Amino acid sequence: MNRIVTIIGLSFAIFFLVGLATTLTRSMMIGFFDVLPVYILMGIAIIMMIYEAFFDKK
């Protein structure tokens, strides 16, 4: 049960972060290289969330 709740919570957070990053690219005034740091930070945040949820068990 705990793993299912973790997966559901992670999926909501990942969908939110990906949606937030993709809405920046919809604007005609913002180019890909302007949004590239946002994609990098979102990727790092998603990897850190997955690592902390599943692999960091002390």
Side-chain angles (χ1 to χ4, degrees):
M1 184 68 180
N2 193 13
R3 184 161 299 245
I4 294 171
V5 173
T6 303
I7 291 172
I8 291 171
L10 275 175
S11 65
F12 280 139
I14 289 171
F15 288 146
F16 174 74
L17 290 175
V18 170
L20 188 67
T22 56
T23 55
L24 291 174
T25 59
R26 302 284 180 184
S27 175
M28 300 299 283
M29 302 178 91
I30 300 175
F32 176 74
F33 292 109
D34 296 329
V35 186
L36 190 60
V38 176
Y39 284 140
I40 293 170
L41 288 174
M42 294 295 176
I44 291 170
I46 290 170
I47 290 169
M48 288 172 55
M49 282 191 310
I50 292 172
Y51 176 76
E52 187 176 350
F54 292 115
F55 301 115
D56 191 29
K57 301 291 183 185
K58 288 186 178 181

